[in-house]
Each structure stands twice: as structure tokens, then as C-alpha cells.
Amino acid sequence: MRLSDLLERAVVDQHGRNWGQVHDVYLVQDGPVSATAAAFRIHGLIAGRGTFGTQLGYVGRPGYEHDQETRGPWVLKALVRRLQRRAVYVPWTDVVEVGDHQVIVRSPPNGFDRANSGAPSSP
Amino acid sequence: MSAAGRELWARLHLLDRPILDAEGIPSAKVDDLEFSLPEEPDGLPILTAVLCGNAALARRFNRRLAQRLELLRRVFVPVERPGPARIDMSEVKHIGPALHITPRRHELEVATLDRWLARNVLAHLPGSGIDARSDDAPQ
């Protein structure tokens, strides 16, 4: 599987609800340890409508400290955050299948957490 | 890569970043990432390689074009199966604003076509300053 198999793919759950497109993929260096270092593993995805703010780093996301966010005019930051407010974090454990055109996920009863709601829970 | 438990966002922190070889010379950029899928049902995909070059980049925009470029690469690079140039993650020693890798530029698959053009075309142009016999022919 490649990153390009995930980015911009529609995220659809078991009820047919479309959660938007995959904007980015969350990696944590907690995999098998090789001679040099531990491997990075995919822990989750950010999905939502529109990619502008996420790609530029304006939007808060799990594992992303406040001081790491892109600095810029507050008006622009506020506008981008407003547009991205519905972006959600999808844990990889909820991904059922990566298809050619969409990523099938299993959404919890209350839906996925907002992408800027803090650190994700470990799988 | 010495920081254990480091967290990264693939698109924000890795994609399109420059790749610097063992001597710090820009040699390619990150055009895609390769993951191996886990065997166990609840396992997480593992980042195994950085993909770079025209074939890897093309896949982000047009898969059919990418397949043709991957096949075309076999004309220049004797690989068993078509695919983009890859750099194994074991060869990545540091991830920062750029990716630092342990091989030298001329050892990378991605530079094969560039080396061929440098040796066979650019080296014969007056004033190019390229030695056609050198392994370090510039890209």
C-alpha cells in the first residue's frame, strides 16, 4: 500500500455516510525495532471536506502541539479553522478496507472525534 | 532516526521534502511512501520505504501514466518487476526539514536516468564541465 492509495480517497462508513476525503496520515514511531530505529506505523487518518487548512498545517490535530502549528495572520487562521471544523480523526483500527476509490471505515455510534480534539487513544 | 516514539504527519512532514545523500547533496524528493500491511488482523501498517522519481510522483495524479513510467524505468534500471525508485527506511538516518539518507547520490536508483543523460548527452556539450566517465555526473 502507498500513501497515494489513501490521500484524497473518500472515507465512507458502514452506513454509507461520507466523512470527506483523507487529508493526512498519522504516523507514530512505535513499530518493530530494526538495526537503526523503530519503524513508523500508521495510527490514523484525518478526513473531512476541503484540504486547504490541513495541508498548510493551520489546523490542530492529534499529536500536534500548539506551538507546532503554522503561524500566520489570525484572520486567515480563524477562517481556515472555521472551514475545517468538521474534520475528523479516524483511528486505523476502524479502517475496514482501502479500495480503489474509497476507504471503508467502521464508525462508532457517536461518530469520530474531531481532528483538533487532542491526542488520539492508542489502538 | 534517533527519537523514539516520534509522531509525524505523512503529508505535512514527509511528502515533497528533499532527500539529502550521505554528503548532504540534494538527490531526490519524497514523492510517495510505501507501507507493508500487517499479517495480524489488528496490526498497523508499517512504513517501509520512501518512493521517489517521476513514476512515484505520477501515481499521485494519474495511475495509468504512472504504470507506463514504471514500465519505462525497466529500460534503464534492471529490476525484476516494475515500480518506482525506492529508498528503504533503514537507509534514512534523520527526518527533519529534509530527509538525510546514508547512500551517496550515485548509488540511488532514482538518479539512473539523470546519470545516463549527463554522461551521454550533457557531457558532450561544450562547457558542460561534466566528465562522462565519472560516477558523480551531476543531475
Side-chain angles (χ1 to χ4, degrees):
Chain A
M1 183 181 74
R2 298 187 195 173
L3 181 63
S4 56
D5 294 329
L6 295 170
L7 294 180
E8 311 307 334
R9 294 283 186 277
V11 176
V12 180
D13 70 11
Q14 72 273 28
H15 306 298
R17 177 177 176 181
N18 189 331
W19 291 85
Q21 294 175 314
V22 177
H23 299 334
D24 213 336
V25 174
Y26 181 48
L27 305 174
V28 179
Q29 193 176 21
D30 63 351
V33 179
S34 67
T36 51
F40 283 92
R41 300 193 300 169
I42 296 180
H43 276 240
L45 319 166
I46 280 188
R49 302 183 193 284
T51 64
F52 182 68
T54 311
Q55 289 184 30
L56 295 181
Y58 276 114
V59 181
R61 50 179 82 187
Y64 201 55
E65 300 298 331
H66 182 67
D67 60 359
Q68 290 179 299
E69 291 179 15
T70 301
R71 297 173 185 174
W74 68 266
V75 175
L76 184 58
K77 291 179 74 169
L79 175 64
V80 170
R81 284 180 175 172
R82 172 86 181 159
L83 293 173
Q84 300 285 123
R85 67 189 184 281
R86 291 181 182 168
V88 294
Y89 176 77
V90 180
W92 186 263
T93 48
D94 288 332
V95 173
V96 176
E97 181 186 348
V98 178
D100 287 340
H101 302 289
Q102 58 188 21
V103 177
I104 310 294
V105 299
R106 181 179 49 243
S107 66
N110 297 327
F112 295 109
D113 291 338
R114 298 288 177 214
N116 56 4
S117 61
S121 54
S122 298
Chain B
M1 292 190 299
S2 56
R6 194 173 170 193
E7 301 169 2
L8 294 175
W9 286 90
R11 182 181 233 166
L12 188 66
H13 296 125
L14 293 174
L15 208 58
D16 295 325
R17 295 294 173 109
I19 298 173
L20 309 184
D21 77 351
E23 298 175 336
I25 299 172
S27 306
K29 73 179 181 67
V30 180
D31 291 314
D32 207 344
L33 300 173
E34 178 190 86
F35 297 91
S36 67
L37 294 171
E39 294 178 0
E40 61 273 23
D42 294 332
L44 303 176
I46 296 173
L47 175 60
T48 50
V50 171
L51 307 179
C52 41
N54 296 334
L57 180 63
R59 189 180 164 97
R60 288 161 57 183
F61 307 104
N62 186 318
R63 289 195 172 207
R64 188 169 295 177
L65 173 64
Q67 287 174 348
R68 291 174 182 169
L69 287 172
E70 288 179 6
L71 288 169
L72 182 63
R73 273 193 72 243
R74 299 183 76 183
V75 175
F76 298 97
V77 185
V79 291
E80 290 185 4
R81 57 180 183 176
R86 64 193 300 280
I87 298 170
D88 196 273
M89 282 305 290
S90 62
E91 297 178 320
V92 178
K93 62 180 179 182
H94 176 71
I95 298 175
L99 265 69
H100 297 256
I101 59 173
T102 50
R104 292 184 63 204
R105 178 180 55 166
H106 71 267
E107 297 170 337
L108 299 176
E109 284 180 16
V110 69
T112 305
L113 179 59
D114 298 325
R115 282 200 306 276
W116 186 90
L117 287 171
R119 285 176 183 160
N120 296 286
V121 180
L122 298 177
H124 301 291
L125 298 177
S128 69
I130 298 172
D131 181 359
R133 295 163 299 178
S134 171
D135 281 342
D136 288 329
Q139 296 180 48

